[in-house]
Amino acid sequence: MKSLNTIKFVSNAIEELTKYNEAISAAKTFEDAKNKARMMMGYIDALTTFLNTMICMENNDFTGDFSEVLDGWMHKMYQTLVDKAVETNQDKDIVWKFLVKRDEYTVM
């Protein structure tokens, strides 16, 4: 089996995540933005599933670092939803809900 080119893998993942995040930002309605975010979460979940299959001693550095990258993208996604909620004049409780979710993924 051919070994994984981690740089290429991460680069391709980031390209896809960037497209999803841009689609959230460009959405005309808040409902459409939430639907795009659901698609992005599905992609992140798939990446997490793949990452979990790689866990072993020789991959610890990569899996730990990439897990932080995925958390950072979840943070970005929720921030983009917050921005869209504000832009489309959503109720303050909706904005607050997404701020709380965003902060669950704050990478320290």
Side-chain angles (χ1 to χ4, degrees), residues 92-103:
K92 66 180 187 281
D93 292 335
I94 291 172
V95 174
W96 178 251
K97 177 180 119 178
F98 286 121
L99 286 169
V100 169
K101 292 296 288 181
R102 178 204 63 192
D103 290 348

Side-chain angles (χ1 to χ4, degrees), residues 1-5 50 53-54:
M1 179 176 195
K2 184 177 176 183
S3 63
L4 176 67
N5 179 334
F50 179 74
T53 66
M54 295 181 60

